[in-house]
Amino acid sequence: MIEDINIRILATGEWLARRLAPFAGTLGLVLLLALAATIAAAGWVFPIYNWDMFAYLAAAHEAPGISVEALHRHAFETMRQNAPAGDFIVLTQDRDYRVRQYADPEAFFTMLGFYRVKFLYVELLGWLSDFVDPYIAVRLLSVVPAALTVGLVAWWLARERALHLAPLAIALLLVCAFGERARSGTPDALSTMLFVAAMLAFMARREALVAILLFTAFLARPDHAAYIGVLWFVSVFTRTFSWGAFVAFAAAAIVYVPMTQAGGHPGWWVHFWFTHVEFVPTLEGFDPDFSLTVYAYAVVRVIVRSLVEETWLAVLLLGCFAWWQMTLRGFGFSRRETTVLVATLLAMGAKMVVFPLHETRFHLPYLIVFGLVLICALRDLRFLPGTRDISRQAGPRSAA
């Protein structure tokens, strides 16, 4: 009897799947739009309050003649008026570092060099703050780019005639905790949106857009320079030479030192020490000697924390396994798709060597692009024997 019930359930499920197959692309688009709306709503109603918001608010409020005390007061009062009392206490009192930053404007001011280098984000935040409350501006710069990123994912899938695989793309975003980017007051959502748009332009061979979008992604997060350089390098060897990536990398190389110096960035090793060793209360006069032991320990610690606390390394390993198995089974990848896959692995490895970071949010845009290429390669896979292949409408794929 139980076997009969199971057979009936399976038969019903297959019947339903066959009937819905012609509408799979439409259903996929609806699911993605629903995800975008859900993420935007959750990001607006249930924001995450983090300490970095103080620094970004202050950096965006800087102007000639404004005092350190005024910057400090602006940042902390803005958060006091908008964050729940309990969250504000945690952000200002739960450890010695935060207590010092709350009590000492001069110490707080020395930290802003870490944040000014996210030039585009800071400038947009300052511009939006002229029209809306600064806290609202912070929320808008997370919620809107996050929703638009889901739209870009839908566009990517539609362009590749793979909207019927939207559930896989949604699963990728969920496993990578993409929704948290809409809730956090950081440049991550904006940076991810610009990067995904740039790689979509790369896949479409729109090199002018590639140059513009990759460079603006770099201005939002300068650490994208590593990926941009690797992408250009790999494109040479895969014969998909991207002059857009070359122009973006050249521009990033030209402006990197002046931008970081103008922003008062304390330098690679001080930033490394601050991130991986200790939160010193002030950077005034802080200049630790380089230590290979400290560096090696930090790399090992980041790898361990990535395995234990985060998901990005698991997603990357799963993606590599899928890529290997798909290649063995004859799934074809165009040269541009291969370029993206190889560049992603090399760039993420390079970033782990130069400045290892364990949090998934720092690797999110690369995981999205890597995953979308693999998902789209499944566009012609028949999940139900005997069903019409609904994804062949695009015609033959370009080898480039």
Side-chain angles (χ1 to χ4, degrees):
M1 181 177 178
I2 295 178
E3 291 182 1
D4 290 340
I5 294 175
N6 290 338
I7 291 173
R8 289 177 181 275
I9 292 174
L10 291 174
T12 302
E14 184 174 338
W15 176 85
L16 182 62
R18 290 180 186 277
R19 293 298 181 274
L20 292 177
F23 311 103
T26 302
L27 291 174
L29 178 60
V30 170
L31 288 175
L32 284 167
L33 293 177
L35 177 67
T38 301
I39 286 176
W44 193 263
V45 178
F46 305 110
I48 296 174
Y49 301 93
N50 53 72
W51 190 90
D52 288 348
M53 295 171 72
F54 293 116
Y56 285 121
L57 285 167
H61 191 63
E62 283 188 290
I66 191 169
S67 68
V68 172
E69 291 76 12
L71 288 176
H72 184 273
R73 183 168 55 254
H74 167 77
F76 282 87
E77 282 303 313
T78 298
M79 288 294 289
R80 184 199 298 276
Q81 293 170 11
N82 290 279
D87 289 272
F88 187 79
I89 291 173
V90 169
L91 293 174
T92 57
Q93 301 295 326
D94 79 323
R95 65 190 69 167
D96 291 341
Y97 171 79
R98 292 180 175 181
V99 171
R100 176 69 180 273
Q101 302 307 304
Y102 183 40
D104 187 347
E106 293 290 345
F108 173 72
F109 185 74
T110 66
M111 302 296 159
L112 298 188
F114 291 136
Y115 301 89
R116 296 189 194 99
V117 292
K118 281 79 170 184
F119 175 79
L120 181 63
Y121 179 79
V122 170
E123 289 299 311
L124 284 176
L125 181 56
W127 175 75
L128 276 176
S129 297
D130 291 336
F131 303 96
V132 297
D133 181 83
Y135 172 79
I136 298 299
V138 172
R139 304 300 323 126
L140 287 173
L141 283 177
S142 292
V143 171
V144 174
L148 290 177
T149 300
V150 181
L152 288 170
V153 170
W155 190 351
W156 191 311
L157 294 176
R159 180 185 176 276
E160 298 292 338
R161 299 298 191 270
L163 271 173
H164 57 292
L165 298 176
L168 291 179
I170 291 172
L172 171 68
L173 295 176
L174 295 179
V175 172
C176 294
F178 175 75
E180 290 190 9
R181 304 288 62 83
R183 302 175 60 207
S184 302
T186 63
D188 298 315
L190 176 65
S191 168
T192 298
M193 179 195 72
L194 292 170
F195 185 85
V196 172
M199 298 311 294
L200 178 58
F202 175 81
M203 296 299 296
R205 297 187 293 279
R206 302 294 181 87
E207 294 297 329
L209 276 177
V210 171
I212 295 170
L213 290 170
L214 281 179
F215 183 65
T216 52
F218 160 80
L219 292 178
R221 285 202 69 96
D223 52 338
H224 283 314
Y227 193 107
I228 298 171
V230 171
L231 177 65
W232 164 65
F233 183 78
V234 173
S235 74
V236 173
F237 284 89
T238 57
R239 292 181 293 172
T240 59
F241 181 75
S242 173
W243 66 261
F246 172 75
V247 170
F249 181 66
I254 291 171
V255 305
Y256 181 81
V257 172
M259 185 175 71
T260 54
Q261 289 182 344
H265 190 270
W268 170 75
W269 183 244
V270 171
H271 198 163
F272 189 99
W273 188 284
F274 187 87
T275 302
H276 296 294
V277 181
E278 62 175 331
F279 284 1
V280 294
T282 178
L283 297 181
E284 186 67 32
F286 182 69
D287 187 22
D289 294 329
F290 175 78
S291 169
L292 185 60
T293 302
V294 170
Y295 170 82
Y297 172 76
V299 171
V300 173
R301 184 168 178 264
V302 164
I303 294 174
V304 171
R305 294 190 69 182
S306 298
L307 290 169
V308 175
E309 302 175 10
E310 299 290 330
T311 61
W312 71 268
L313 193 52
V315 173
L316 188 64
L317 291 173
L318 181 61
C320 289
F321 179 78
W323 182 14
W324 172 49
Q325 289 295 312
M326 291 166 70
T327 301
L328 291 179
R329 284 160 174 75
F331 283 84
F333 293 93
S334 70
R335 289 179 183 173
R336 285 190 175 254
E337 288 173 335
T338 301
T339 299
V340 172
L341 294 174
V342 173
T344 299
L345 292 180
L346 293 179
M348 292 181 72
K351 287 188 65 175
M352 285 294 290
V353 171
V354 175
F355 204 106
L357 294 165
H358 76 281
E359 293 181 71
T360 299
R361 67 188 179 97
F362 294 112
H363 310 280
L364 176 62
Y366 314 136
L367 295 176
I368 292 176
V369 169
F370 190 81
L372 285 176
V373 170
L374 293 175
I375 290 169
C376 289
L378 297 172
R379 63 174 70 77
D380 297 333
L381 183 65
R382 296 189 179 192
F383 294 95
L384 290 173
T387 58
R388 181 172 63 89
D389 191 342
I390 63 173
S391 63
R392 297 292 294 181
Q393 302 170 10
R397 299 167 58 200
S398 169

